[in-house]
Amino acid sequence: MEKEFCTYEQAIALKELGFDEPCFGYYDEGGNLYTEIVEVLKAPLYQQAFRWFREKYGLFGTVDKKDGIRFYKIEDENEKIIAVATSFKTYEEAELACLDKLIEICKNK
C-alpha cells in the first residue's frame, strides 16, 4: 500500500508549497509511513497531489504511453505544454518524475 503515497521527500516539498488537505497517511521525522495520525507530516496519495496541483496552480500532469514508451506531460489551464519527459520504464516511474517536476515548477514560480 505504501506505493500509493507520495514519497517522504515529495510530502516535504508539498508541505512547503502549502499542501494541507486531509490525508490517510502520515510520515514521522524518520520518514516512516503510518496510517494512524502521528501528525508530523501528511502523506498525500498521488491522486490527491495531482488534484491539488490542478486546483491550486492550474497545472495538469499526465502519464501516457506511445509506441511502447512511457512519458509524462505537464500542461497549464490553456493547454500550453510546460514540460515533457520520455523514456520511463514503468508508469510509476513516470508518475514519480512528473510529480517531482510539478514540485520543481511551483517552487521556481
Side-chain angles (χ1 to χ4, degrees):
M1 178 148 182
E2 285 185 26
K3 65 183 177 181
E4 304 302 324
F5 293 91
C6 295
T7 66
Y8 178 68
E9 292 78 15
Q10 290 170 331
I12 290 170
L14 287 165
K15 181 180 179 179
E16 290 171 355
L17 289 170
F19 182 90
D20 190 28
E21 296 189 9
C23 292
F24 292 112
Y26 299 87
Y27 287 108
D28 66 13
E29 297 92 352
N32 300 303
L33 181 65
Y34 295 90
T35 54
E36 66 270 1
I37 298 176
V38 293
E39 199 56 54
V40 175
L41 177 64
K42 292 180 178 183
L45 298 169
Y46 285 108
Q47 298 94 321
Q48 284 182 283
F50 282 102
R51 183 180 321 109
W52 184 76
F53 278 109
R54 288 191 305 270
E55 293 172 355
K56 181 166 175 101
Y57 291 98
L59 295 174
F60 298 77
T62 57
V63 174
D64 209 343
K65 180 177 164 182
K66 184 173 183 175
D67 299 326
I69 298 172
R70 293 272 179 211
F71 68 94
Y72 75 73
K73 177 171 62 173
I74 298 172
E75 298 177 301
D76 67 12
E77 292 174 317
N78 299 315
E79 298 183 12
K80 177 183 172 198
I81 296 174
I82 307 296
V84 175
T86 61
S87 300
F88 297 99
K89 293 178 185 172
T90 66
Y91 181 94
E92 291 77 13
E93 186 180 299
E95 187 176 52
L96 279 168
C98 184
L99 187 55
D100 286 339
K101 187 65 175 180
L102 282 164
I103 289 167
E104 177 188 325
I105 290 167
C106 293
K107 279 185 173 182
N108 292 327
K109 277 192 175 187

